[in-house]
Amino acid sequence: MKDSDWDRCEFNAEIFKALANPMRLYLLKKIQERPRCVCELAAESGINKSVASKHLSQLKAAGLIKDEKHGTLVEYHILANCVLDMAECVERTLIAHRKKKLAKLS
């Protein structure tokens, strides 16, 4: 395998690691709706602000979100809407596959 291929696989693995948590996916979906600050996201998700901040840091480190400062307020913005589109596509595909499999069994 070429080094560039391996580097891309490592990069993709980091993205998927960031997505491999239901709370981070939830926060990402909320940010996709509109930019939000950590206090809004914490309140909407029912978690502590420090926990929300840690999840946001992981999403930011993976390159999935960015933050913008407006005075003392920091808003989080999604950078890759396609990630959530992909997750929905996979979900639809797997559900359809399971339905077909169940239909064949009956």
Side-chain angles (χ1 to χ4, degrees), residues 3 5 9 15-16 38 40 45-46 50 65 81-82 88 106:
D3 286 345
D5 291 339
C9 289
I15 292 167
F16 284 106
V38 68
E40 276 184 285
S45 59
S50 62
I65 63 172
N81 283 307
C82 56
E88 288 177 16
S106 24

Side-chain angles (χ1 to χ4, degrees), residues 23-46 49 52-53 56-57 59-60 65-70 72-79 81 84:
M23 182 55 69
R24 286 195 288 276
L25 284 170
Y26 178 80
L27 295 174
L28 202 55
K29 286 182 181 201
K30 290 308 217 178
I31 296 167
Q32 184 184 40
E33 292 171 4
R34 66 175 172 79
R36 287 177 166 79
C37 66
V38 68
C39 43
E40 276 184 285
L41 290 164
E44 289 179 21
S45 59
K49 189 176 162 184
S53 184
L56 293 168
S57 293
L59 291 170
K60 185 178 173 188
I65 63 172
K66 67 176 182 172
D67 59 3
E68 287 184 8
K69 295 178 181 167
H70 304 282
T72 58
L73 178 73
V74 178
E75 281 187 335
Y76 292 89
H77 299 258
I78 192 165
L79 289 173
N81 283 307
L84 292 173

